[in-house]
């Protein structure tokens, strides 16, 4: 249940960055000096050349959808999910807090510190923006549905929590993998890589981190299901349908 703290931090921090980027892109205001210092520390300099309007819009779109993703996950933690009495390691907890601060900063650092030298952004929607947004919505809907299925295992038909024990989930993507909500998380980050035009190496590194992180968690969860439920469906994979 302390994962809720991650999304509180993400909503506040990434919302703050989103406001500043919006003001810089659409109103021509300069980014605060401390953000410019952060840019330099992370290797992004104002002399990195002019970016196309579509690239500026890509960064703004990704930061917006990252913030909306955090808002949805926070709402699910507060009002959908039913958590057990499990605990999180303090190192993992601290790393999680740092991750959600770093991820928004990573997006912001995809644009130069001088942000078009004060010029307003001319929005240019490209085909990969549309494809990325459609994939983002599709994966988000399935992730929400899978989290609702997990929560329903611990609730009565009236919505009252009746158990904190683990049960075997069925329905939606659970018919194919043990952890479809982890798979959907990966798809959400891939959709953002698409929105950035496929060629942003920094964000593909983020995608690879999410891939290995979620794959490990899914493998451990899959092993738990197989160990504790003798009738667990043998055709289910752990993470990616038909593959892993």
């Amino acid at each position: 249940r302390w994962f809720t703290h991650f999304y509180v931090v993400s909503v506040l921090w990434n919302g703050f960055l989103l406001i500043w980027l919006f003001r810089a892109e659409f109103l021509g205001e300069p980014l605060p000096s401390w953000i410019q210092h952060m840019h330099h520390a992370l290797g992004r300099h104002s002399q990195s050349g002019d970016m196309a309007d579509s690239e500026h819009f890509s960064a703004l779109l990704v930061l917006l959808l990252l913030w909306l993703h955090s808002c949805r996950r926070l709402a699910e933690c507060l009002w959908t999910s039913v958590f057990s009495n499990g605990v999180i390691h303090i190192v993992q907890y601290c790393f999680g807090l740092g991750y959600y601060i770093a991820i928004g900063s990573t997006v912001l650092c995809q644009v130069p510190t001088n942000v078009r030298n004060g010029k307003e952004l001319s929005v240019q929607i490209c085909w990969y923006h549309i494809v990325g947004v459609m994939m983002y919505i599709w994966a988000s809907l399935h992730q929400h549905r899978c989290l609702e299925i997990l929560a329903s295992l611990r609730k009565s038909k009236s919505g009252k929590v009746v158990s904190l024990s683990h049960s075997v989930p069925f329905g939606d993507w659970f018919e194919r993998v043990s952890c479809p909500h982890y798979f959907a998380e990966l798809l959400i980050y891939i959709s953002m890589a698409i929105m950035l035009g496929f060629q942003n190496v920094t964000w593909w590194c983020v995608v690879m981190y999410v891939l290995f992180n979620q794959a490990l968690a899914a493998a451990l969860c899959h092993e738990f299901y197989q160990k504790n439920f003798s009738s667990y469906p043998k055709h289910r994979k752990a993470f990616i349908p038909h593959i892993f």
Side-chain angles (χ1 to χ4, degrees):
R1 62 174 58 88
W2 277 23
F3 269 62
T4 305
H5 300 175
F6 299 161
Y7 301 117
V8 170
V9 169
S10 182
V11 168
L12 294 176
W13 172 250
N14 293 322
F16 176 73
L17 295 182
L18 180 62
I19 291 173
W20 275 110
L21 184 58
F22 181 90
R23 291 165 63 94
E25 295 284 12
F26 286 100
L27 303 179
E29 297 183 7
L31 292 171
S33 59
W34 64 269
I35 290 183
Q36 296 188 32
H37 292 320
M38 181 179 68
H39 270 67
H40 287 288
L42 296 176
R44 167 65 78 179
H45 304 286
S46 59
Q47 294 80 14
S48 48
D50 291 334
M51 297 171 64
D53 284 327
S54 59
E55 293 178 280
H56 281 267
F57 179 67
S58 295
L60 183 63
L61 181 62
V62 168
L63 189 56
L64 171 62
L65 294 183
L66 182 65
W67 179 74
L68 290 175
H69 175 63
S70 299
C71 289
R72 176 179 62 82
R73 290 294 295 117
L74 176 58
E76 288 166 342
C77 285
L78 294 175
W79 297 299
T80 300
S81 299
V82 179
F83 299 102
S84 67
N85 294 320
V87 297
I88 184 173
H89 195 282
I90 185 62
V91 174
Q92 186 182 7
Y93 178 76
C94 293
F95 182 85
L97 293 175
Y99 171 80
Y100 282 100
I101 292 175
I103 197 68
S105 305
T106 299
V107 178
L108 190 63
C109 286
Q110 301 314 300
V111 295
T113 54
N114 58 357
V115 189
R116 298 182 55 78
N117 297 312
K119 296 180 180 179
E120 294 183 8
L121 173 68
S122 174
V123 176
Q124 292 187 1
I125 299 178
C126 300
W127 65 269
Y128 52 80
H129 294 144
I130 298 174
V131 172
V133 170
M134 291 178 62
M135 184 175 179
Y136 172 89
I137 295 173
W138 175 63
S140 297
L141 289 173
H142 278 285
Q143 186 179 56
H144 179 69
R145 176 57 185 150
C146 290
L147 291 171
E148 284 185 326
I149 291 173
L150 286 175
S152 68
L153 297 175
R154 294 176 172 178
K155 297 179 181 179
S156 64
K157 292 183 179 180
S158 63
K160 182 180 179 180
V161 177
V162 295
S163 173
L164 294 181
S165 62
H166 293 84
S167 303
V168 178
F170 292 92
D172 203 75
W173 287 356
F174 279 109
E175 299 301 324
R176 296 179 176 85
V177 292
S178 296
C179 300
H181 46 308
Y182 295 158
F183 178 55
E185 186 82 359
L186 174 63
L187 294 180
I188 287 171
Y189 277 85
I190 291 176
S191 74
M192 294 177 184
I194 294 174
M195 289 178 227
L196 289 168
F198 290 94
Q199 55 188 6
N200 191 296
V201 177
T202 302
W203 195 259
W204 280 113
C205 289
V206 174
V207 171
M208 292 303 295
Y209 164 76
V210 174
L211 168 63
F212 290 114
N213 177 274
Q214 300 295 296
L216 174 60
L220 294 173
C221 187
H222 185 66
E223 182 181 351
F224 173 85
Y225 279 130
Q226 291 179 320
K227 180 179 180 180
N228 290 276
F229 300 98
S230 58
S231 59
Y232 191 72
K234 298 185 181 300
H235 66 277
R236 288 189 192 179
K237 299 295 184 179
F239 183 44
I240 301 177
H242 309 295
I243 297 177
F244 172 70

